Amino acid sequence: MTSEGQELSGEGVIRLRTDEFELLRQVVREIRELSDDQLSALSVRRDEVDVLRTAVRSVHGELADSDYTALDVVLDRDSAGPPAVTRTEPTGTARVTGMLTQATAVRLPGLIHYVRDWLGGLELSHRTGSDPAQLDALADRFPSAGSSR
């Protein structure tokens, strides 16, 4: 796939541009606000959301003073964490391990679309500064449950 934000070289790496990572961070914050019943309906446990939120916050904190243009997020086979960031100076890309498992990455498109539908256009814009199309594009960055990735 291309470096436009999808899997690279078949090794389970997803490239996110800086703005996409920031949107993911905001979406994870909104996912955290979902009730246990809503999460259960999506087959997601509260502890999974908490782990994801902590990992995303950790990576964001580590990159706060960095000048990077993209993140290569390595999808771990089993448990993620703690996140580790390696900067690649010439390309402006940061490589992140320990942030996402493959299982969580497959669930993200459904969670992102749920947040989009749950908030609706106006509230989505107010709370995340984005629109439904931007969330759809973000969801497309991650493998879906039916994909062979």
Side-chain angles (χ1 to χ4, degrees), residues 72 86-95:
D72 286 343
T86 307
R87 289 169 190 79
T88 310
E89 299 304 328
T91 62
T93 301
R95 187 170 181 86

Side-chain angles (χ1 to χ4, degrees), residues 6-7 20:
Q6 299 181 14
E7 189 175 342
E20 291 170 327

Side-chain angles (χ1 to χ4, degrees), residues 130-149:
S130 63
D131 60 46
Q134 288 172 300
L135 281 182
D136 289 342
L138 178 63
D140 288 345
R141 300 294 191 209
F142 296 95
S144 64
S147 73
S148 60
R149 286 190 243 173

Side-chain angles (χ1 to χ4, degrees), residues 39-141:
L39 291 174
S40 180
L42 295 165
S43 301
V44 177
R45 295 184 329 264
R46 172 73 54 200
D47 64 319
E48 290 177 284
V49 173
D50 292 342
V51 167
L52 176 61
R53 180 175 178 240
T54 300
V56 168
R57 288 177 70 187
S58 175
V59 169
H60 179 261
E62 231 181 289
L63 293 171
D65 294 327
S66 300
D67 187 24
Y68 67 98
T69 57
L71 286 141
D72 286 343
V73 179
V74 178
L75 301 181
D76 298 316
R77 290 197 187 280
D78 297 316
S79 63
V85 176
T86 307
R87 289 169 190 79
T88 310
E89 299 304 328
T91 62
T93 301
R95 187 170 181 86
V96 179
T97 57
M99 187 176 93
L100 274 178
T101 63
Q102 291 175 352
T104 301
V106 166
R107 288 188 180 114
L108 275 174
L111 286 166
I112 292 167
H113 288 133
Y114 187 87
V115 166
R116 176 202 63 201
D117 296 342
W118 179 56
L119 291 177
L122 200 54
E123 187 67 13
L124 180 68
S125 177
H126 174 70
R127 290 170 77 162
T128 69
S130 63
D131 60 46
Q134 288 172 300
L135 281 182
D136 289 342
L138 178 63
D140 288 345
R141 300 294 191 209

